[in-house]
Amino acid sequence: MKTILKYFLCVLVVVVGFDLLLGFVAKRYVTTHILPGDYQAIDYLINRSNEECLIIGSSLAINSLMPSLMEDSLGMTCYNGGANAQSMPYFETMLDCVFRRYTPKMVIFVLDPNELSRKGLGQRYNVLVPYYGCGHELIDRNLESKDAVEPWLLRSASYRYNRIWWRILLYHFIGYSNKSDKGFVPHERPMSLPMLKTIQNEDTVQACVDSFVRCMTICNDRGVKVVCVFPPGYYSPVNGAFQSVNVVEEECLKINAVCIDDSQDSTFLEHPEWFYDNKHFNIDGSVIYTKQFLQELKAHSQTQQ
Amino acid sequence: MLFNSLAFVAFFPIVCLLYWLLPHRWRNLFLLIASYYFYMNWKPAYALLIGFSTIVTWVCGRHIADSAGKAKKVSLVVCLVLNFAILFIYKYLNFATGAVFSLLDLAGLRMAVPEFDILLPVGISFYTFQAVGYTIDVYRGTIRPERNFFTYALFVSFFPQLVAGPIERAANLLPQFHTRHKFNGENLIEGFKLMIWGYFMKLCIAGNVSVYVDAVFNNLPNHNGTSVIMAAFFFTFQIFCDFGGYSLIAIGVARCMGFNLMQNFNRPYFATSVKEFWRRWHISLSTWFMDYVYIPLGGSRCSRAKHLRNLLITFVVSGVWHGANWTFVVWGAYHGLLLCGHTIRVKFLHIKESTTGLMKAVNIVFTFVLAMAGWIFFRANTLSDAVQAFHHILYRRGPLFIGEGKSEMALPLVLIALLVLKELKDEMGWNIHLMHNKNVYVSAVSSALMIIVIAVCAQFESGAFIYFQF
């Protein structure tokens, strides 16, 4: 019995001790360093951005719109705040964090044609875990909403920094080369895939639609010009418009926002060399699409005037 | 209830504590109730199927023991038919219907294939095989029938190994329910350590590689051969860590309560031949098929042609056992053919295998690659997907898909390296002990560090164990 007590007590002390130590070190690191990878964009949006035009979206945003090309045409500073594998709850959170510090003049949402069909917070919302308990109510609320046990688990540093410490450690020691140009990440890779033929028009999810409507409302209340854009992909066209596109168009109409739907632009289907996979542009495609987007935006603005 | 769920984290300590606090005569009944509660957490109604299988095999077992000649045989046949009928209806009906209608289609009779809305009961193949194995053992006279129904019901439904094995033999497990277990601290600590390593395998390795494997295998048209090879490599470890991890947790949980379950995996990827691989992989199922299918067919004590036929049949049936999909059938046949090839080489042509030095290492790598190729059939969603995967490997090269980023690729590789190092240590018999060190403090600190590794590296949303579906 004595051995059991010794063993389990020792296990408990080491686990709790390490958890506290990890929590202390990691929190200090997060507040004194800019984390690498996706966190650069997250950290920039949450703490330091001051651009007049912000691009919000997933990897579609990162690889589609080039801020350096857009700045002259728009006549305002621009930053691409896209983050890999994110969805509406993340976009709403970023918007909330930015608006707590300042109000940009324009927000561009780069959306997937099935963007409003995503359920839940998205598989990578937990990248925001290092910012838990740092005064961002929406982040705290969303992370805790997972289930009843989650708020308790989030008290553990090992859980909070689960798998995130690895990126910090890896990039801290082997370095991280920031390849982004104002958030835009150019991809030189050539296309190696055939046209995707399995894309479907998915039903929208109400929670996701609500989140999008809240984003639009916040922007409208603050007088921010909103542009929603669906970039083209290298996939077979579907019959009619995507449900998500329809909903976004309706919401844009309500607040006089611009909606550009290029999701089924046939020109791009003839140029697989502009993509590096079925949904993402390589650098050539990004340049071509950014220019096309700017022209379309100009045309929309003239029509509205 | 999943071993990797918070519900189980609460369930197990309570069950373990109450088990040791209860007087011996109540313990089996308590474990029986706990086991049914454990199973009914998933779909309560399906506990009736376990109950039915338990009653049928227990009654038939008693009848077989009390009768002789034809009556004995009839009891066995009734037992087998009833048990396999349930297994067929719940697991294979849609598959069999589809196959029959495909044949009719080929014969020019085109009809709409009826789809039966049947949810596969978790672990049905495991408990059915365990219960059927008991009846056959009673028939063969290798064990006596269990007199106490509740003890037998616990044997069929014992929660640590109910849903994914190890498929226990009555001769090993049933006597343990009659033994008066005394609380043993060493067993508790040993069980705890096995559970820690099992969780590491499941949550850290299987969980982390599953993200990449799913991304590639669920979207094959979008990936080139390089990525498919990487996904196949990851899946080779995913399937081992998922199932091996489950087995270790099951053995650990049982050990904490004083029970010894059979070893299910013995460093399979260090096998030097396909034959050895099957001695090390899913041992409880391999030996089950050996005892109840391969040997009754004639085993190796027959003509060469029949020997090869027996091997092939056994492995095709083993493939079918894994699931109602042609991919599993082909996977089973693939291993059957590999084993036939090995038998021809070693037994018929008398080509000796080198078991030392460089050749041993080459054989290990070669066997690993053969197993990895087989796992492509096992993981592919359809047979055409498997063909497509091999086509990509052979003809479509390109840059490696790095999924969520280099760091997300590097973590599983580091964890796999840690696993291989540990397996290598055990295989080579190196006398280095951390978690199993005799010094309680070294052992405790190593265990604690392992828990921390799990906490910071685990993919907590890795979901159910793969073998649950079988």
Side-chain angles (χ1 to χ4, degrees):
Chain A
M1 199 52 139
K2 211 173 165 186
T3 315
I4 302 174
L5 281 176
K6 264 192 216 169
Y7 176 84
F8 282 108
L9 204 65
C10 192
V11 168
L12 192 71
V13 167
V14 175
V15 169
V16 172
F18 184 87
D19 192 70
L20 292 172
L21 185 70
L22 179 76
F24 175 77
V25 173
K27 193 156 189 173
R28 196 168 167 78
Y29 193 95
V30 169
T31 48
T32 53
H33 291 70
I34 297 167
L35 299 182
D38 284 354
Y39 285 107
Q40 286 193 328
I42 296 169
D43 192 73
Y44 188 79
L45 276 181
I46 292 180
N47 297 320
R48 290 175 295 126
S49 61
N50 58 4
E51 282 78 3
E52 292 159 307
C53 171
L54 284 181
I55 299 163
I56 306 266
S58 60
S59 55
L60 266 187
I62 302 179
N63 302 134
S64 294
L65 299 180
M66 299 175 73
S68 52
L69 276 183
M70 295 165 68
E71 285 184 336
D72 283 345
S73 175
L74 293 175
M76 52 177 103
T77 53
C78 190
Y79 181 76
N80 190 328
N84 286 315
Q86 293 295 355
S87 52
M88 220 57 228
Y90 173 86
F91 309 157
E92 188 187 355
T93 306
M94 285 300 108
L95 216 55
D96 181 69
C97 291
V98 167
F99 282 171
R100 278 166 192 270
R101 290 190 301 106
Y102 81 109
T103 306
K105 286 182 184 168
M106 179 190 277
V107 170
I108 301 172
F109 291 101
V110 182
L111 305 170
D112 181 272
N114 283 315
E115 191 68 62
L116 303 185
S117 309
R118 313 271 184 258
K119 285 176 186 163
L121 292 171
Q123 64 183 79
R124 293 207 61 199
Y125 189 86
N126 65 355
V127 294
L128 293 175
V129 160
Y131 301 94
Y132 177 80
C134 295
H136 305 292
E137 283 168 35
L138 196 54
I139 294 178
D140 293 1
R141 199 169 62 225
N142 279 340
L143 287 171
E144 287 176 359
S145 70
K146 195 177 150 197
D147 55 49
V149 192
E150 197 66 12
W152 295 96
L153 290 176
L154 282 165
R155 292 178 183 208
S156 157
S158 306
Y159 183 78
R160 276 207 306 280
Y161 293 97
N162 166 257
R163 292 191 300 143
I164 291 160
W165 69 276
W166 169 254
R167 294 188 197 193
I168 297 171
L169 194 76
L170 199 72
Y171 289 130
H172 190 85
F173 287 106
I174 67 169
Y176 177 80
S177 56
N178 179 14
K179 292 176 186 166
S180 82
D181 173 16
K182 297 182 181 180
F184 168 80
V185 180
H187 278 276
E188 306 282 353
R189 279 186 276 167
M191 180 67 162
S192 61
L193 303 170
M195 186 184 287
L196 183 67
K197 290 180 178 157
T198 51
I199 194 158
Q200 287 175 339
N201 186 354
E202 295 167 19
D203 292 340
T204 54
V205 172
Q206 195 51 46
C208 205
V209 174
D210 293 344
S211 178
F212 174 71
V213 172
R214 282 196 296 273
C215 288
M216 300 292 270
T217 311
I218 300 166
C219 291
N220 192 37
D221 291 349
R222 292 192 168 228
V224 178
K225 184 175 174 59
V226 176
V227 178
C228 295
V229 56
F230 296 89
Y234 190 56
Y235 45 77
S236 309
V238 296
N239 287 333
F242 286 92
Q243 282 197 37
S244 293
V245 176
N246 287 337
V247 173
V248 169
E249 278 176 344
E250 280 172 27
E251 291 303 322
C252 284
L253 268 178
K254 286 181 193 169
I255 64 161
N256 207 22
V258 175
C259 181
I260 299 172
D261 175 21
D262 292 326
S263 60
Q264 305 201 59
D265 189 331
S266 56
T267 316
F268 287 81
L269 296 180
E270 291 158 19
H271 295 280
E273 72 276 12
W274 291 345
F275 297 86
Y276 75 83
D277 70 17
N278 295 99
K279 284 198 171 175
H280 302 97
F281 289 119
N282 58 26
I283 181 73
D284 298 334
S286 306
V287 172
I288 290 161
Y289 184 66
T290 306
K291 286 177 182 168
Q292 176 177 319
F293 165 76
L294 288 168
Q295 281 173 357
E296 287 174 321
L297 187 60
K298 210 172 182 178
H300 268 280
S301 304
Q302 282 168 354
T303 314
Q304 280 183 346
Q305 279 168 8
Chain B
M1 195 183 292
L2 298 173
F3 280 170
N4 56 334
S5 67
L6 284 168
F8 184 77
V9 173
F11 168 83
F12 174 61
I14 294 169
V15 169
C16 193
L17 185 71
L18 289 176
Y19 173 79
W20 287 117
L21 289 176
L22 281 171
H24 173 70
R25 67 174 185 279
W26 293 109
R27 282 180 184 170
N28 283 355
L29 188 62
F30 169 70
L31 278 184
L32 180 64
I33 294 166
S35 297
Y36 269 80
Y37 175 79
F38 175 87
Y39 193 81
M40 288 164 77
N41 245 274
W42 169 69
K43 190 169 169 60
Y46 278 5
L48 292 171
L49 291 177
I50 304 180
F52 179 75
S53 185
T54 305
I55 292 167
V56 169
T57 45
W58 186 72
V59 170
C60 289
R62 294 291 304 268
H63 192 256
I64 288 167
D66 295 340
S67 52
K70 204 176 175 185
K72 190 176 173 182
K73 213 168 206 171
V74 168
S75 287
L76 177 70
V77 171
V78 168
C79 176
L80 296 182
V81 167
L82 285 174
N83 275 284
F84 288 130
I86 292 175
L87 187 62
F88 177 81
I89 291 167
Y90 281 91
K91 191 168 177 177
Y92 301 104
L93 189 58
N94 277 323
F95 174 65
T97 318
V100 168
F101 276 73
S102 297
L103 285 174
L104 290 175
D105 196 24
L106 282 175
L109 295 164
R110 182 156 293 185
M111 284 185 274
V113 184
E115 274 278 326
F116 302 99
D117 188 19
I118 300 168
L119 181 64
L120 178 70
V122 167
I124 188 168
S125 306
F126 288 93
Y127 68 73
T128 302
F129 270 44
Q130 185 159 311
V132 164
Y134 159 83
T135 321
I136 299 173
D137 284 349
V138 172
Y139 177 81
R140 287 175 176 172
T142 49
I143 57 162
R144 286 182 169 186
E146 173 56 49
R147 300 278 159 195
N148 186 320
F149 174 75
F150 294 108
T151 306
Y152 178 71
L154 177 58
F155 162 71
V156 178
S157 64
F158 188 42
F159 78 87
Q161 41 90 244
L162 171 61
V163 288
I167 302 169
E168 273 297 337
R169 300 307 173 79
N172 175 44
L173 191 55
L174 265 175
Q176 293 189 55
F177 293 125
H178 294 291
T179 310
R180 185 180 285 269
H181 294 288
K182 284 187 179 170
F183 179 77
N184 180 331
E186 280 181 16
N187 270 343
L188 186 72
I189 293 174
E190 180 59 25
F192 183 66
K193 287 173 190 169
L194 288 171
M195 288 170 71
I196 291 175
W197 192 253
Y199 278 116
F200 168 75
M201 288 173 76
K202 165 65 185 167
L203 296 174
C204 292
I205 301 180
N208 276 308
V209 298
S210 68
V211 179
Y212 188 88
V213 172
D214 292 347
V216 174
F217 275 101
N218 292 343
N219 200 5
L220 273 171
N222 270 353
H223 293 281
N224 59 44
T226 319
S227 308
V228 175
I229 291 173
M230 191 64 181
F233 173 78
F234 273 163
F235 184 70
T236 305
F237 283 96
Q238 186 192 349
I239 188 81
F240 170 52
C241 291
D242 192 284
F243 194 25
Y246 180 91
S247 296
L248 276 183
I249 298 169
I251 294 168
V253 165
R255 184 74 58 84
C256 288
M257 295 184 291
F259 295 93
N260 283 312
L261 299 184
M262 70 185 290
Q263 188 186 18
N264 218 11
F265 291 87
N266 182 22
R267 301 182 291 281
Y269 295 140
F270 280 96
T272 52
S273 66
V274 177
K275 187 178 178 184
E276 198 191 340
F277 175 79
W278 281 103
R279 281 191 188 140
R280 291 166 173 254
W281 180 272
H282 202 172
I283 298 165
S284 64
L285 182 73
S286 309
T287 50
W288 197 99
F289 274 109
M290 172 104 131
D291 291 347
Y292 304 116
V293 179
Y294 178 67
I295 290 174
L297 282 170
S300 60
R301 293 180 180 178
C302 50
S303 69
R304 286 178 173 184
K306 279 189 177 172
H307 180 188
L308 297 179
R309 180 207 66 182
N310 296 342
L311 277 173
L312 205 56
I313 290 174
T314 307
F315 274 87
V316 170
V317 175
S318 162
V320 173
W321 177 89
H322 279 83
N325 193 329
W326 287 111
T327 52
F328 296 117
V329 180
V330 173
W331 174 77
Y334 167 80
H335 274 279
L337 288 172
L338 288 180
L339 229 74
C340 287
H342 179 269
T343 307
I344 292 168
R345 204 169 78 96
V346 176
K347 280 206 167 174
F348 303 164
L349 301 177
H350 304 291
I351 299 170
K352 281 192 177 172
E353 282 182 88
S354 174
T355 52
T356 52
L358 185 65
M359 273 316 290
K360 186 179 177 183
V362 170
N363 284 339
I364 290 173
V365 173
F366 186 61
T367 309
F368 179 85
V369 173
L370 288 178
M372 193 169 114
W375 292 129
I376 292 177
F377 288 111
F378 196 93
R379 175 58 185 84
N381 297 327
T382 61
L383 207 52
S384 63
D385 269 12
V387 173
Q388 191 178 29
F390 282 109
H391 181 267
H392 286 359
I393 288 172
L394 293 173
Y395 302 110
R396 197 203 279 179
R397 291 292 158 83
L400 180 69
F401 165 67
I402 56 160
E404 305 271 312
K406 282 176 188 164
S407 65
E408 298 296 307
M409 286 288 282
L411 182 60
L413 289 171
V414 169
L415 295 171
I416 287 171
L418 190 63
L419 172 83
V420 172
L421 210 63
K422 194 257 179 194
E423 298 266 291
L424 185 66
K425 175 193 84 83
D426 292 343
E427 183 71 17
M428 304 298 282
W430 293 338
N431 197 19
I432 307 164
H433 299 292
L434 293 171
M435 264 165 68
H436 291 92
N437 197 292
K438 282 179 184 169
N439 183 312
V440 69
Y441 293 110
V442 176
S443 170
V445 170
S446 311
S447 305
L449 289 176
M450 214 51 223
I451 293 172
I452 289 157
V453 168
I454 294 168
V456 295
C457 297
Q459 168 65 269
F460 287 114
E461 282 151 8
S462 51
F465 291 84
I466 295 173
Y467 264 68
F468 273 25
Q469 62 186 298
F470 308 137

